Amino acid sequence: MPDISLTTLLLLCAAALVAGWIDAVVGGGGLVMLPALLLGLPNLHHTYALGTNKALAIVGTSGAAVTYVRKAPVSVGTAVKVGLAALGGSTAGAFFAAGIDEAVLRPLIMVVLVGVAAFVMFKPSFGTQAADKRRELTRARVVTAILLVGGGIGFYDGMFGPGTGTFLVLGLTAVLHLDLVTASATAKIVNVCTNAGALVMFAYQGTVLWQLAAILAVFNLAGAMIGARMALSKGAEFVRGVLLFVVFSLVAKLAFDQWA
């Protein structure tokens, strides 16, 4: 347990609660939790923030996944297949990460995110169809989701990372024609797979602050359970609104990292 003040610990707990809520609804909790850990633990190497974040995030995503599976029409088998592909993709992406110039990649991701936001804004029906009106899953679409959403977004996660959860929700909605609530539920199972793989690596490297992670995980789990229940009760329109907020927040963060 690092030597931090009670005030800092309370602020980190609040950040974990909010991050869990955002992650459960549409992904992107790292936008809150990682900066909070970096600010709260300024004397530690950033890898400790990354490792500790994975340790607490896997608790929240697991709790959200269980909540969704109980009440949403989720194909667990498909989600696990996509998750395993994402795990393999992230491993491959991490291998190539050292050769990537983030200063070049950030503007490209910002352009993609702005395009995504425009698409979601000007096509209100995207991901809002009722679950019983969704087209039946075909083998071709499942394979496409495994390769493109799992492998492709997983590769991006290992290579660069920001917004992976949000990209998963968007990709699953587009490829499998899910409503946004079911896509978010499926993404949580995928996140559990990818977080587990990353956590094993960080644990092996000794960059997880387990005691701090255990405390923050309680609040992250609480936020995730609240977020999942709100998404289930309020429906796709609510998730769509949170999705747009997270996308614009991610664009702002990338722009700040690029030019500030």
Side-chain angles (χ1 to χ4, degrees):
M1 184 73 175
D3 184 17
I4 57 176
S5 67
L6 178 60
T7 300
T8 298
L9 180 60
L10 291 175
L11 290 173
L12 288 175
C13 289
L17 183 75
V18 174
W21 187 90
I22 294 173
D23 246 345
V25 177
V26 76
L31 288 171
V32 174
M33 199 66 242
L34 277 175
L37 285 168
L38 290 170
L39 289 172
L41 307 171
N43 297 322
L44 291 177
H45 194 270
H46 71 274
T47 53
Y48 283 89
L50 294 171
T52 303
N53 178 60
K54 288 299 181 185
L56 67 95
I58 195 171
V59 176
T61 52
S62 297
V66 171
T67 301
Y68 275 123
V69 167
R70 286 177 175 175
K71 298 184 179 181
V74 183
S75 173
V76 176
T78 299
V80 170
K81 291 174 184 176
V82 175
L84 292 175
L87 179 57
S90 65
T91 302
F95 180 78
F96 290 99
I100 299 298
D101 186 354
E102 292 188 6
V104 175
L105 192 57
R106 281 195 200 99
L108 295 177
I109 301 301
M110 282 188 277
V111 170
V112 171
L113 284 170
V114 170
V116 164
F119 176 80
V120 174
M121 289 175 66
F122 293 108
K123 191 174 181 181
S125 62
F126 177 73
T128 59
Q129 67 269 35
D132 60 352
K133 293 182 181 179
R134 290 184 287 114
R135 282 177 276 178
E136 187 177 340
L137 289 179
T138 64
R139 182 179 178 83
R141 282 197 279 130
V142 171
V143 171
T144 301
I146 292 171
L147 295 177
L148 293 184
V149 180
I153 296 177
F155 184 85
Y156 165 79
D157 188 22
M159 183 179 62
F160 188 53
T164 297
T166 305
F167 281 129
L168 281 173
V169 173
L170 290 165
L172 290 166
T173 301
V175 175
L176 296 180
H177 298 157
L178 304 177
D179 62 87
L180 284 169
V181 174
T182 306
S184 187
T186 306
K188 295 292 88 57
I189 299 174
V190 177
N191 283 155
V192 172
C193 296
T194 56
N195 283 342
L199 181 57
V200 168
M201 182 58 67
F202 284 120
Y204 175 76
Q205 295 172 345
T207 56
V208 180
L209 302 171
W210 292 107
Q211 289 179 308
L212 178 61
I215 296 171
L216 299 181
V218 174
F219 291 87
N220 191 259
L221 177 61
M225 301 289 278
I226 294 170
R229 289 185 174 129
M230 286 183 69
L232 287 165
S233 64
K234 294 182 178 295
E237 284 293 346
F238 169 73
V239 176
R240 180 174 176 271
V242 178
L243 173 66
L244 287 171
F245 174 78
V246 171
V247 167
F248 283 121
S249 298
L250 184 56
V251 171
K253 180 186 182 303
L254 290 172
F256 178 84
D257 291 342
Q258 182 74 12
W259 293 298

